[in-house]
Every structure is written in structure tokens, then in C-alpha cells.
Amino acid sequence: MMGVRRESALMRKASQSVVKSRILMAVAIGISIGCLFAFLYPHGFLSFSAPVFRSRRSRRFQVLSSECESSESLNVLKSEYAAVYEKNKELKQQVKELTGKVRLAEQGKDHAQKQVEALGKQSKAGPFGTVKGLRTSPTVIPDEPVTRRLAEILENVAVQRELIVALANWNVRRSLEVWFTSIKRVGITNYLVVALDDKIAEFCTSNDVPVYKRDPDKGIDSIGRTGGNHAVSGLKFRILREFLQMGYSVLLSDVDIVYLQNPFDYLYRDSDVESMTDGHDNMTAYGFDDVFDEPAMGWARYAHTIRIWVYNSGFFYIRPTIPSIELLDRVASRLANEPRSWDQAVFNEELFFPSYPEYEGLHAARRTMDFYLFMNSKVLFKIVRKDARLSKLKPVIVHINYHPNKLERMKAVVEFYINGNQDALKAFPDGSEW
């Protein structure tokens, strides 16, 4: 029995040894096969593994390629920007040269809206009898000075951005002397003589009179040196524009005027143009209904007309507004193209003629000065000197515009109103004939 048991134990051990050897062999075979497949298929045994890897790799290459293209596009844009920047610098220089014209055009474009903005917010119409339209145009934005020298003179001479301006050449030096002597006597400091030749400039300087000599201009210099009264009168509209463009109000004055009071104390400043009149009474100065009679028309023989005597272009106050500057441009242009035209006639036509087919009238506000305060020589010699009551009134200025012997009459006005000589005006006729 003991022998049988030992044999059975030996058989079990042999059997266990065979099983272990088989397991080890299977493991060795598995490892060998695994190594073989790992060598043959380094990227995986399944068919979709390689394409997936290739797809991811190609996507990365596409991203890198896209980044390169973006970099090239950026460089192109930078070069284009540099070219545009240089072109922009050139355009800025051109725009700078045209700034004055552009600014003036912009002001004119929305002129009506600027009036509303300057005078307040838009409002509804009020009760009957309380509605008033716009009266005063807004002043322009001061433009760059035509010359720095003129700008400096105006800064020193003007008072509250307004001054008296007169044009003069050597031909009128004697009248000019009476003119500025009367201004000094009244105590006016804001006045300026625009000298049209060197001799009159020296004359003003020697008499301590503010003077401005314009830069050389062949056409203007020729008129200024040799021109008569009418030629010089036409020239003043071109020169006057320079003052308005810089934002200054000007009381334009001929030199055949005697100042007895400060005119700036009597201005209303509510219109574009405020002018003395050539009229001699309320009707002729301020307007009247004149009836035209044509008997051939029968029942309709009477036609009513509105008349007013012209404004005097030798003495008027003009504010720096768009309508005022347009007026000066119109008058100067017409006088340049119509050499036989009289500046005062053109001045009034442009100021008063309404719009009609094929013509657009000037939209400017006007005021007529008191003809007893701003007196023309017809009013003085035909009416005032013969009236005891009126002769006691002291006008602001007297303009010797109706008579040729200007210097003698100017001196007589000084004698009558300043020195109190009651007989100083008696020797002169009413008109121009002795």
C-alpha cells in the first residue's frame, strides 16, 4: 500500500511540472508574437490607426501653412498703410492751404441753422402780435489773417473788435489831415488809415496816425497811387473784405468827413449793414409810397411804388457776417468787370434788388442811420444851416458828399460846430455852383 501511495505522489508532481512548463511556453510564444507584431506594425495593427495619425499630422501642417500666409498678408497690409500714410501727409498739406475757403463755404452752407443756434433754440410761434423774425446774423469764425502784420495792427488798434477804416493816397492828404484831426479831437482811438502809397504812409506816421501799408500788388498799387475818388472807392470793397474775414466790424469812412462825436456810441449793430443815407428828409431817407400816374391805363392809371434814396457807400458800418462778405464780393466783382460802373450804384443794387428769375438777391439785413446825426452835406447846407432850431443840434459826423469844394466846406464845418463861428457856413451856396 505504501508503494502505491508514493507512485501516486510522484505522478502528481510530474503532472504539475508539465502544466507549468506549458504555461511558460505559452507566455514565451505570446511575448514572441507580440514582439513580432510590434516590429511589423509600429503604428498599430488596426487599419484606421494610420489614417487618423496622418490626418492629425496634415492638420498641423495646414495650421502652420495658414500662419505663414497670415504673416505675409500682414506684411502686405503694413506696406499699403505706409503708402497711404505718406499720401495722407500730402493731402493734409493741400487741405491746410484751402482751410480758409472750406471754412467759409461751411459757414455759408448751414447759415440758417447757425442763426438759430446763435439766437437760441427753435420755438413755436407765439400769440398774435408777439412774433419777431431773426434780426442779427451771427458773425463769422475769424479766419487766418491775410497778413500777420495787419493782424497785429488790428489787435492793437481795434476796440471790441471794431474800428474806423479809411483809404487814402497822397492826392487827398489835405482832407485826410482835417479828417484825422477831428477824430483825435473827439477822442476816438480805434481808427486806421490804409495807405495806398508810401508818401501817405509816411505822412500818417509823422502825425502819429495808425496806418497800414498793404503788401505790393501791381493792379491795386496802380489804382492806389494815381486813382481818383471813384477809383479808390471801388478798391475799398476788396480791401475791406480782409478785415471782415478776420472777424472785425468796420465803420468804413471816406476822408471828406468831419467827426463831431464818437459814432460808435450811436450804432445799433443789429444788421449786416448800417449806412448813412443820401436822403434829406424822412421820406427820402427811410422810404415812401410813390404813386406813378399813367392816364392811358384809365381806371388802373395809378401804380404804387416803394422808393428810398440810396445808401452812401462812403460811410457805413458793416459787421463780419456771411451776407456782408457776400456783398463785398459781389460789388468788387462787378466793379472789376464793369469799369464804367459807379461803386455807390452797384453797392445799392446788390444790397436792395430782390431775387427774380435768373437772379438770386442778397439776403442781408439793412438799417438806415439817422440823417440828422449822420448828416450829408445837402442836409447841412440846404436845410440845417437855415433853421435856427436844427442848427443847434450837433451831428455825429458831417459828410461833404454832395459838393466838390470839399476841403473848404470841411474847414467851415469845423469852424461852425467846434469853434462856434455862426457865420462859417453862410458863404456857401446850397448846391455846387457859387
Side-chain angles (χ1 to χ4, degrees):
M1 289 293 293
M2 290 296 291
V4 175
R5 290 179 181 175
R6 285 195 194 103
E7 186 178 354
S8 177
L10 290 172
M11 290 178 64
R12 282 197 301 272
K13 289 182 181 179
S15 177
Q16 290 176 355
S17 176
V18 172
V19 171
K20 289 181 180 179
S21 62
R22 288 179 180 176
I23 292 174
L24 291 174
M25 187 179 296
V27 170
I29 293 172
I31 292 172
S32 300
I33 294 173
C35 291
L36 178 62
F37 277 100
F39 176 77
L40 295 176
Y41 300 97
H43 303 301
F45 177 72
L46 298 177
S47 60
F48 59 85
S49 298
V52 169
F53 176 82
R54 286 195 298 270
S55 176
R56 290 175 180 173
R57 184 172 59 180
S58 64
R59 188 178 299 118
R60 189 174 70 179
F61 287 145
Q62 289 176 0
V63 170
L64 292 174
S65 176
S66 177
E67 290 178 354
C68 293
E69 292 176 358
S70 298
S71 178
E72 292 177 359
S73 299
L74 184 61
N75 291 333
V76 172
L77 289 174
K78 285 182 177 180
S79 62
E80 292 179 353
Y81 175 79
V84 171
Y85 179 78
E86 292 298 325
K87 184 64 176 178
N88 191 40
K89 286 177 64 177
E90 297 177 4
L91 292 175
K92 282 184 178 180
Q93 182 62 30
Q94 297 177 6
V95 170
K96 186 176 181 180
E97 296 174 357
L98 299 174
T99 299
K101 294 180 180 180
V102 173
R103 185 180 301 165
L104 198 59
E106 289 176 350
Q107 291 166 348
K109 181 180 179 181
D110 299 320
H111 180 51
Q113 183 61 34
K114 287 186 177 181
Q115 284 185 315
V116 174
E117 293 174 356
L119 300 176
K121 296 181 179 180
Q122 290 178 306
S123 59
K124 296 180 179 179
F128 178 79
T130 65
V131 179
K132 288 187 177 181
L134 297 175
R135 293 293 190 273
T136 308
S137 299
T139 57
V140 298
I141 300 172
D143 203 349
E144 293 296 325
V146 178
T147 65
R148 175 54 56 184
R149 185 163 49 86
L150 175 59
E152 293 175 353
I153 293 174
L154 293 178
E155 289 175 1
N156 294 325
V157 172
V159 176
Q160 296 182 348
R161 301 191 71 81
E162 58 184 11
L163 72 162
I164 300 170
V165 175
L167 277 67
N169 58 20
W170 187 247
N171 297 334
V172 297
R173 65 187 182 281
R174 297 177 67 187
S175 296
L176 179 66
E177 186 173 13
V178 178
W179 179 85
F180 65 67
T181 300
S182 69
I183 286 179
K184 291 181 178 181
R185 184 186 298 113
V186 173
I188 301 171
T189 59
N190 52 330
Y191 69 101
L192 180 68
V193 175
V194 177
L196 301 178
D197 56 50
D198 293 330
K199 294 179 67 176
I200 203 69
E202 296 172 359
F203 178 72
C204 290
T205 302
S206 63
N207 285 276
D208 196 25
V209 172
V211 63
Y212 166 60
K213 177 68 168 62
R214 299 180 78 254
D215 293 331
D217 185 309
K218 291 183 180 180
I220 292 179
D221 288 349
S222 176
I223 296 173
R225 288 193 302 269
T226 62
N229 290 337
H230 288 305
V232 172
S233 294
L235 176 62
K236 67 192 175 189
F237 294 97
R238 289 182 56 185
I239 297 177
L240 188 57
R241 190 191 198 279
E242 299 176 7
F243 292 80
L244 268 63
Q245 189 174 342
M246 289 188 287
Y248 288 89
S249 297
V250 174
L251 183 57
L252 193 283
S253 174
D254 282 352
V255 297
D256 56 347
I257 293 176
V258 177
Y259 287 77
L260 303 170
Q261 299 186 64
N262 191 332
F264 293 108
D265 295 337
Y266 295 88
L267 297 175
Y268 286 81
R269 301 175 179 85
D270 63 347
S271 304
D272 298 299
V273 178
E274 193 168 344
S275 177
M276 73 171 294
T277 175
D278 276 359
H280 58 273
D281 55 22
N282 287 339
M283 291 177 60
T284 57
Y286 309 136
F288 62 100
D289 179 18
D290 184 39
V291 180
F292 176 78
D293 184 10
E294 189 177 5
M297 288 296 295
W299 174 82
R301 63 182 293 179
Y302 300 110
H304 292 258
T305 67
I306 299 298
R307 296 186 61 187
I308 184 173
W309 285 30
V310 296
Y311 282 176
N312 191 288
S313 63
F315 189 87
F316 59 88
Y317 179 78
I318 185 166
R319 297 175 58 249
T321 66
I322 292 296
S324 297
I325 295 175
E326 183 182 359
L327 170 65
L328 298 179
D329 287 351
R330 288 187 179 206
V331 175
S333 178
R334 282 191 56 185
L335 292 176
N337 297 318
E338 304 170 16
R340 295 186 178 182
S341 296
W342 181 27
D343 70 284
Q344 181 160 293
V346 174
F347 176 72
N348 280 271
E349 289 171 1
E350 294 297 334
L351 197 54
F352 284 97
F353 279 178
S355 299
Y356 55 82
E358 300 181 358
Y359 175 77
E360 183 179 354
L362 181 72
H363 300 276
R366 308 171 298 272
R367 172 179 281 274
T368 305
M369 293 177 172
D370 188 320
F371 68 91
Y372 281 129
L373 293 178
F374 299 90
M375 190 180 298
N376 61 60
S377 57
K378 179 178 182 178
V379 173
L380 175 62
F381 287 98
K382 187 177 180 180
I383 301 171
V384 171
R385 67 172 176 167
K386 301 176 182 179
D387 188 301
R389 182 176 60 87
L390 293 177
S391 61
K392 294 179 181 179
L393 298 175
K394 188 177 184 179
V396 177
I397 60 106
V398 175
H399 188 181
I400 312 300
N401 62 315
Y402 270 100
H403 301 88
N405 50 332
K406 298 179 180 298
L407 182 60
E408 292 77 11
R409 292 186 185 246
M410 289 177 72
K411 292 179 177 179
V413 168
V414 173
E415 282 294 316
F416 183 81
Y417 284 107
I418 302 302
N419 299 330
N421 183 356
Q422 299 299 308
D423 297 328
L425 303 177
K426 289 182 179 180
F428 297 94
D430 290 352
S432 59
E433 300 297 331
W434 285 92

